[in-house]
Amino acid sequence: RLTRARELVYDAAVAVHADNPLVLIVDDNVDAREMYALYLEHAGFRAAEAADGETAIVAARRDRPAVILMDATMPRMDGWEAARQLKSDAATQSIPLIMLTAHAFAEHRERAAEVGADAFLAKPVLPDTLTLEIRRLLAES
């Protein structure tokens, strides 16, 4: 949950940068979501947050983000299933999706490709690496 001060900053940033790309950050760890949001807002993106796969699907359909950052391991619905559903839905399949996971084995990269992810990054992700990958995907879409 956003603190009131961060909500005010976010609202101001959205008003000023309404045409900046929206990135949906999906992670069950609130600290990770806020950290990624701060990185991205500093880089000129807008950020929206979801705590699990089910919420992410609703948010993606409603908000039409430019890119989705999806953690793999979450309660309720994990990122693998959420990515699979988003990529099989005509309304959301064209949204570039980056799988994020602390499990950086080849099988995880392969699974990301199987569920339709457009990119795969191992945590922890450096801010520059994250923003470069988002910009690359936006340029390709």
Side-chain angles (χ1 to χ4, degrees):
R1 186 153 193 248
L2 295 175
T3 63
R4 182 64 185 139
R6 186 149 183 273
E7 286 176 354
L8 293 172
V9 169
Y10 178 79
D11 290 346
V14 169
V16 172
H17 302 290
D19 56 343
N20 289 14
L22 176 66
V23 179
L24 176 60
I25 303 161
V26 187
D27 198 308
D28 60 318
N29 183 304
V30 67
D31 292 334
R33 287 195 315 268
E34 288 188 358
M35 177 187 64
Y36 291 129
L38 288 172
Y39 289 165
L40 295 173
E41 289 165 1
H42 180 72
F45 297 97
R46 292 179 296 134
E49 300 176 15
D52 59 63
E54 290 177 6
T55 308
I57 291 170
V58 171
R61 289 177 179 151
R62 179 190 64 225
D63 300 335
R64 304 286 189 192
V67 175
I68 300 170
L69 301 180
M70 181 76 70
D71 182 36
T73 307
M74 295 179 289
R76 292 180 53 186
M77 178 188 292
D78 68 22
W80 304 112
E81 178 60 20
R84 188 192 66 70
Q85 287 188 31
L86 288 165
K87 288 303 190 173
S88 65
D89 182 342
T92 56
Q93 67 187 14
S94 65
I95 301 170
L97 189 144
I98 302 171
M99 289 299 301
L100 298 172
T101 180
H103 308 288
F105 300 111
E107 64 223 37
H108 294 102
R109 186 175 299 277
E110 291 167 8
R111 188 169 181 195
E114 288 170 7
V115 299
D118 300 283
F120 175 90
L121 293 174
K123 291 181 180 180
V125 180
L126 296 173
D128 289 344
T129 302
L130 182 61
T131 55
L132 285 172
E133 189 64 15
I134 291 170
R135 291 184 197 289
R136 181 188 70 78
L137 288 171
L138 289 173
E140 290 178 1
S141 62

